[in-house]
C-alpha cells in the first residue's frame, strides 16, 4: 500500500529507522543557514549584495558577496583569550562600473550582537555598513550611531536597500517556523505536517490546508497576507515517498510576493555541502528542482530567471528580478 510507505508526517518512525538516520539527523540539526540578497546602490551603481549567515555546533559566520568581492566574518562567541575576541572591523573592496573603479569600504561590529536560539541571524546589537567617501551606502542592524561614528560618515543612508529574496534551511519534526519581513512588516510563518495534511499559517492564522498529500505532494495556491495575495508553492515529494538513505529528506516551499522573476543566491560553503549530501542520498532531487523552476517560470511569465553568483556583474541581475517583488524559499528538513 502507498500509505504504508509514507515515512514523514504520516507515521511515527520506528526505533530501527531512528538509529539508521541518527548520524545524518545530528548533522542537520546543527545547521542553521540563511541567505539573503539585497538590491542597493553603491557609488551610484545598482548593486546586489548577498549575505549568508551560517551556524553549526562548532562555528558561526557571515559570508558577504558583493560583485567579485567575498569576505567571511566569524560570529562565534569570544573566548577568554583577548586575541580570539570579536572586534569591530573594516575592509576596502573594489567595485567596477562602466570601466571606472571605486573603493568603497565595509564596516562591521558584532561584538555585542544578540542571537535567538533558532536563527543564525542577529536580532540586535550589531551593524554592517558600506561607505564611500563620507556617505553610508548600505546599513543593516540597529547600531546606527555607532556605524556613523566608526565609519566617520557624515551623510546617512539616502535610501533603504531592497530585500529581493531569502533562502532558509529550517529544521523540525512536524512543525517548521521562521520569521521574515515582507509587505512592510515582519511576519511569522509556520508550516505543519501531520495526519497526511499540510497546514500553512501566517501570523498564527491558517492560510492554507492541503489534504491527501500522497496525491498532492506538489502544487501551487494563493494565500492572503494582510489582504494581499501571495503565491505559495510546495514540494513534499521527499516527505511522502522518502529518500534513498531512509531519511525524511526535505520539503521545499516558496512564497512569492509581487511580480518579477526570482533571484536565488548561489549556494556556497556549509549550505552547498548540506545540499550536495542531500542530492547524493536522495532519489527525488529532480522533483525538488521542478517546483523551483515552476515558481520561477510562473513569476516572470515563462522566462527562466537566473541564479546569482558572486562572480556575476551587478547589471546581469537587473533583468532577472522584478521591482517590488520578494521571494522566500524554505528548505524544511525533518529531524525525527
Amino acid at each position: 500500500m502507498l500509505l504504508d510507505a509514507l515515512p514523514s508526517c504520516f507515521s511515527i518512525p520506528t526505533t530501527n529507522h531512528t538509529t539508521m538516520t541518527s548520524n545524518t539527523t545530528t548533522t542537520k540539526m546543527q545547521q542553521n543557514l540563511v541567505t539573503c540578497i539585497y538590491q542597493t546602490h553603491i557609488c551610484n551603481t545598482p548593486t546586489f549584495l548577498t549575505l549568508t549567515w551560517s551556524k553549526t555546533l562548532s562555528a558561526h559566520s557571515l559570508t558577504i558577496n558583493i560583485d567579485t568581492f567575498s569576505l567571511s566574518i566569524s560570529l562565534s562567541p569570544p573566548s577568554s583569550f583577548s586575541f580570539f575576541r570579536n572586534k569591530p572591523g573594516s575592509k576596502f573592496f573594489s567595485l567596477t562600473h562602466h570601466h571606472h573603479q571605486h573603493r568603497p569600504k565595509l564596516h562591521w561590529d558584532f561584538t555585542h550582537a544578540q542571537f535567538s536560539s533558532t536563527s543564525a541571524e542577529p536580532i540586535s546589537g550589531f551593524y554592517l555598513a558600506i561607505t564611500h567617501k563620507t556617505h553610508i551606502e548600505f546599513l543593516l542592524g540597529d547600531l546606527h550611531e555607532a556605524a556613523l561614528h566608526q565609519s566617520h560618515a557624515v551623510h546617512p543612508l539616502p535610501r533603504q536597500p531592497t530585500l529581493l529574496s531569502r533562502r532558509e534551511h529550517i529544521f523540525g519534526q512536524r512543525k517548521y517556523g521562521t520569521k521574515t519581513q515582507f509587505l512592510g512588516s515582519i511576519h511569522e510563518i509556520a508550516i505543519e505536517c501531520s495526519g497526511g495534511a499540510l497546514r500553512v499559517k501566517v501570523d498564527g492564522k491558517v492560510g492554507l490546508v492541503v489534504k491527501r498529500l500522497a496525491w498532492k505532494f506538489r502544487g501551487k495556491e494563493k494565500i492572503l497576507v494582510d489582504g494581499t495575495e501571495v503565491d505559495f508553492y510546495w514540494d513534499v515529494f521527499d516527505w511522502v515517498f522518502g529518500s534513498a538513505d531512509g531519511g525524511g529528506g526535505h520539503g521545499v516551499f516558496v512564497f512569492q510576493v509581487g511580480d518579477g522573476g526570482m533571484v536565488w543566491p548561489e549556494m556556497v560553503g556549509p549550505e552547498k555541502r548540506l545540499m550536495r549530501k542531500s542530492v547524493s542520498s536522495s532519489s527525488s532531487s529532480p522533483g525538488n528542482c521542478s517546483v523551483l523552476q515552476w515558481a520561477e517560470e510562473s513569476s516572470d511569465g515563462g522566462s527562466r530567471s537566473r541564479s546569482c553568483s558572486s562572480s556575476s556583474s551587478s547589471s546581469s541581475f537587473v533583468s532577472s528580478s522584478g521591482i517590488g517583488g520578494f521571494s522566500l524559499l524554505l528548505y524544511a528538513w525533518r529531524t525525527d
Side-chain angles (χ1 to χ4, degrees), residues 35-193:
T35 301
C36 300
I37 182 166
Y38 295 86
Q39 183 178 30
T40 186
H41 283 74
I42 300 177
C43 307
N44 295 319
T45 303
T47 305
F48 287 82
L49 181 150
T50 302
L51 303 180
T52 301
W53 309 86
S54 173
K55 185 178 182 180
T56 68
L57 189 62
S58 59
H60 192 177
S61 65
L62 165 65
T63 300
I64 305 165
N65 289 281
I66 311 170
D67 200 52
T68 58
F69 170 76
S70 181
L71 176 69
S72 291
I73 301 172
S74 174
L75 304 177
S76 298
S79 75
S80 57
F81 298 98
S82 60
F83 54 87
F84 282 142
R85 292 185 182 275
N86 294 327
K87 295 182 179 180
S90 63
K91 186 177 182 64
F92 282 102
F93 64 95
S94 297
L95 184 65
T96 303
H97 181 60
H98 294 321
H99 306 292
H100 294 286
Q101 191 173 57
H102 304 279
R103 292 278 290 172
K105 192 174 185 179
L106 181 70
H107 307 262
W108 66 87
D109 186 357
F110 296 96
T111 307
H112 303 290
Q114 300 295 315
F115 297 86
S116 72
S117 60
T118 58
S119 178
E121 287 183 289
I123 302 172
S124 61
F126 77 100
Y127 69 79
L128 178 69
I130 297 175
T131 61
H132 183 241
K133 297 180 179 178
T134 59
H135 295 262
I136 284 191
E137 310 274 86
F138 176 87
L139 180 60
L140 189 67
D142 59 333
L143 300 184
H144 296 177
E145 294 299 324
L148 285 169
H149 176 73
Q150 293 293 335
S151 65
H152 305 290
V154 296
H155 298 284
L157 188 68
R159 61 175 70 86
Q160 292 296 322
T162 300
L163 178 60
L164 291 180
S165 67
R166 174 186 175 96
R167 181 175 63 226
E168 183 172 359
H169 297 258
I170 53 181
F171 306 86
Q173 297 180 346
R174 300 293 185 268
K175 298 181 180 180
Y176 308 85
T178 186
K179 291 182 179 180
T180 188
Q181 184 168 353
F182 60 92
L183 297 176
S185 59
I186 296 177
H187 295 280
E188 184 173 351
I189 294 174
I191 297 173
E192 300 178 6
C193 186

